[in-house]
Amino acid sequence: MIEIGVFRAVATASARLRKLMVRHEQVMLAHVQQSLLCNTLPLVEARLARWLLRAHDLSDGQILPLTQEALAQMIGVRRNAISLVAHALQRAGIIRYSRGQIEIIDPKALLATSCGCYSAVKAHHLRLMGIVA
C-alpha cells in the first residue's frame, strides 16, 4: 500500500507511470465492455469458464475463494445453474471444487470451454501493456 500523496507525487514525476495507468484503465474498460457482451450469451458453461479464468489471472494462488452463489451473481444466473456446470467441469477434470473453493486443474481445457471474450480481452491487455505473448 502507498499513501495517496506519495502516489500522486510519483505519478506527477513519472510520465511512464502515467502512461501505464492510462493503459490499465483501457484494459479495465475493455473487461467491463466484454463482460457486458458476454453476459448476454446463453451458454452458462462458457460464461463461467471466462469468469474462472479471469479470477485466476487476478489471484495469487491456485485456489479461488469463490462460492457458487457468488459466481451465480457475477454472471447473472441462478445458483443451481452454476452447480450443474461446475459439476460437469469437475467430472471432465477441468476444475476441482469444494465448499467455497475452486481449483483450476486444466487451464487449457477451461480456455477451450470459455467464449472468445476471455481470449480477446487478454490479447488486448497484452498489446496495451506491450507484452509479447
Side-chain angles (χ1 to χ4, degrees):
M1 295 190 45
I2 186 171
E3 291 181 21
I4 190 69
V6 173
F7 181 77
R8 284 184 179 146
V10 171
T12 299
S14 174
R16 184 170 183 220
L17 178 60
R18 288 191 308 275
K19 187 176 181 180
L20 187 62
M21 289 174 20
V22 168
R23 286 182 180 171
H24 177 73
E25 182 181 7
Q26 290 171 337
V27 167
M28 296 309 296
L29 180 60
H31 276 290
V32 169
Q33 291 171 331
Q34 200 66 51
S35 290
L36 289 171
L37 175 64
C38 186
N39 281 347
T40 65
L41 298 175
L43 297 176
V44 174
E45 186 174 44
R47 290 162 53 194
L48 177 60
R50 180 184 61 85
W51 270 102
L52 290 175
L53 288 165
R54 177 71 177 131
H56 185 260
D57 287 348
L58 297 172
S59 174
D60 289 339
Q62 294 300 325
I63 306 292
L64 304 173
L66 294 168
T67 64
Q68 290 181 2
E69 183 65 36
L71 287 166
Q73 289 175 358
M74 284 191 274
I75 64 174
V77 298
R78 293 191 173 159
R79 187 194 156 294
N80 65 337
I82 296 296
S83 182
L84 292 171
V85 171
H87 187 67
L89 292 173
Q90 183 165 263
R91 273 195 326 265
I94 297 172
I95 67 168
R96 182 176 20 242
Y97 75 92
S98 61
R99 194 171 208 97
Q101 295 186 332
I102 299 175
E103 180 180 8
I104 298 173
I105 304 300
D106 189 346
K108 288 182 182 179
L110 192 61
L111 180 60
T113 303
S114 73
C115 59
C117 298
Y118 174 79
S119 294
V121 172
K122 181 82 170 185
H124 182 64
H125 179 174
L126 294 174
R127 273 192 313 274
L128 281 173
M129 302 311 266
I131 301 169
V132 179

